Amino acid sequence: MIYTFLYSLLLIFSLPFIYIYFKRKGYDFGLKERFTLYKDYMDSSIWFHCASVGELKAAYPVIKYFSQKENVIITIFSPRAKDFASSVFQNEKVRFLPFDLPIFINRFIKMYNPKILIITEKEVWINLVKISSKKFPVVSINSKISKNLPVLNNFSLFLTNSEENAEKIKRYIKDKEKVVVCGDLKFLGENRKDIKFDKNGKKIIIGASTHNPEEKILIDTFLELKKDIENIALIIAPRHLERLNEIENLLKEKNIDYSLRTKTDKMEKDVMILDTIGELSGFYQYADVVFVGGTFANIGGHNILEPILENKPVIIGNYYYKVEDLYNQLKDYGIISSVKNKEELKEKIIEYLNNNQSSELLSFKDLQQKIFKCYINNIQNLIKGD
């Protein structure tokens, strides 16, 4: 009651400012849906709640699996996520999450008759969980709960992405058996942007999201490799395009013939600079080895998952604290390695180019299947009441 009262007060005072803020950004805040001021009906449904675009992407394979068998209703919180969900989920109904007050939650449940509520990652609304849990199971998937809330005991199951997050949740709830480690749903994602590109028979190294001095390290390593590997080529994708001139000067100093992605869709020169925005994920399909930047430079690492989802071997430096959890989960599958210097980088590239990675890549596909089945089977068992 205290929470509901305080939430109501906060809503009254903040709503005009929130509405104006999103209106100026060009987004529809969806007040009609948040107040459930509309009529709709489903015989029964599987209810997914994803707060953001990232959570929608994580839950995508699970949502698509159940939408082939059941009516699916997806609620989201942010206007940007609503636009994204409406474009991606054509056969599923997408609504804004009602404001977290009993009258709106109950009205929503009456319209869509959910048999289960599946909440992605760390979104916990107190009335949403308490009211729903009295009527049907509430499940957290890819769980990343980091706050101790009494309402966590109302969840029927936590399907977590890692042992670390599982241990955190177990400290917060009474029934430890509710926590199951399935693995990270992001391992199942597909983020590729389809692009037109001709490898021209080259073995391609991609330096992805690079910083100073990583381009120089890559260029020097490439020149060493080229002495023994004639058909090798390098693509440099700098993290910040304003450094383009700096990278071009490095190549000119070494008398290296290079091209810009904006000028060609074929690997004709020794080096190409990816001087476009949003194409990097599409280039991974053409790589033979990928170095992910921000790891020789003390940045902490960038997205290592995108090239791995393309089954490409990945190399990083020794500054990877921002992606350490992912690295630790993946390193035993033989498709990612950390190196300390230029010499180790060269050795690891040669190893990846020469070795047949098929067994390791198959092992990673087995991991993906295991993760997917863990989520699906546990959710299905709850729906059946097992």
Side-chain angles (χ1 to χ4, degrees), residues 116-291:
I116 191 170
L117 169 59
I118 302 164
I119 300 175
T120 309
E121 296 193 358
K122 54 188 176 184
E123 186 89 338
V124 178
W125 293 98
I126 291 175
N127 280 325
L128 171 68
V129 174
K130 284 188 75 74
I131 293 170
S132 298
S133 65
K134 293 175 183 178
K135 303 173 185 292
F136 41 80
V138 178
V139 183
S140 171
I141 63 172
N142 223 39
S143 309
K144 297 179 180 178
I145 308 297
S146 57
K147 293 181 181 178
N148 186 3
L149 299 170
V151 76
L152 295 178
N153 286 295
N154 291 78
F155 279 83
S156 301
L157 194 61
F158 294 89
L159 303 177
T160 74
N161 63 334
S162 68
E163 290 283 355
E164 180 184 357
N165 282 319
E167 290 305 313
K168 285 181 183 178
I169 296 167
K170 286 178 181 179
R171 292 199 294 267
Y172 302 150
I173 65 174
K174 296 174 183 177
D175 186 356
K176 317 301 182 189
E177 298 298 317
K178 288 182 177 182
V179 183
V180 177
V181 180
C182 283
D184 201 325
L185 274 175
K186 290 178 181 177
F187 289 176
L188 310 181
E190 294 183 6
N191 299 307
R192 178 197 291 181
K193 179 180 178 68
D194 289 327
I195 61 169
K196 181 183 178 183
F197 185 68
D198 183 356
K199 286 183 68 169
N200 199 23
K202 305 278 190 179
K203 289 186 176 181
I204 291 180
I205 303 165
I206 291 182
S209 300
T210 55
H211 297 257
N212 178 38
E214 291 169 333
E215 293 89 6
K216 185 179 187 305
I217 293 171
L218 283 167
I219 290 166
D220 289 345
T221 303
F222 169 73
L223 290 174
E224 287 292 314
L225 290 167
K226 192 168 173 58
K227 293 176 183 177
D228 300 313
I229 308 172
E230 187 176 343
N231 65 334
I232 198 167
L234 172 65
I235 294 176
I236 299 174
R239 182 70 174 180
H240 303 294
L241 287 183
E242 56 264 31
R243 296 184 55 247
L244 188 62
N245 288 339
E246 178 186 337
I247 298 164
E248 288 187 89
N249 288 334
L250 283 173
L251 293 166
K252 289 172 183 176
E253 286 172 12
K254 300 287 185 178
N255 294 315
I256 296 174
D257 206 8
Y258 70 93
S259 60
L260 300 175
R261 163 59 180 162
T262 50
K263 303 295 184 183
T264 182
D265 58 10
K266 189 173 184 179
M267 196 78 215
E268 295 177 310
K269 306 290 180 67
D270 286 338
V271 176
M272 174 182 282
I273 303 175
L274 195 60
D275 60 335
T276 56
I277 295 173
E279 284 196 322
L280 179 56
S281 64
F283 265 86
Y284 288 136
Q285 63 188 298
Y286 301 106
D288 293 280
V289 181
V290 177
F291 170 81

Side-chain angles (χ1 to χ4, degrees), residues 61-90:
V62 180
I63 294 173
K64 282 299 181 182
Y65 175 85
F66 282 103
S67 69
Q68 294 172 9
K69 304 172 180 293
E70 309 264 3
N71 294 322
V72 165
I73 175 76
I74 303 169
T75 53
I76 48 78
F77 186 78
S78 80
R80 179 171 173 263
K82 176 71 181 299
D83 290 350
F84 175 82
S86 298
S87 66
V88 171
F89 297 100
Q90 302 291 333

Side-chain angles (χ1 to χ4, degrees), residues 7 11 15 29-41 47 73-76 82 94-114 128 131:
Y7 181 94
L11 186 63
L15 188 56
F29 192 60
L31 289 180
K32 186 176 180 181
E33 292 184 12
R34 295 184 195 270
F35 282 111
T36 59
L37 298 175
Y38 63 96
K39 292 183 179 181
D40 204 353
Y41 177 77
W47 180 7
I73 175 76
I74 303 169
T75 53
I76 48 78
K82 176 71 181 299
V94 179
R95 298 290 189 199
F96 279 110
L97 181 71
F99 287 124
D100 198 36
L101 294 172
I103 184 173
F104 306 133
I105 300 297
N106 280 312
R107 190 182 297 165
F108 185 91
I109 290 172
K110 188 175 181 180
M111 279 194 285
Y112 295 108
N113 298 296
L128 171 68
I131 293 170

Side-chain angles (χ1 to χ4, degrees), residues 340-353:
K340 296 176 183 175
N341 51 47
K342 184 165 55 178
E343 290 71 27
E344 289 187 7
L345 175 63
K346 176 186 172 183
E347 291 173 7
K348 187 54 69 173
I349 290 174
I350 292 171
E351 179 185 327
Y352 277 136
L353 288 177

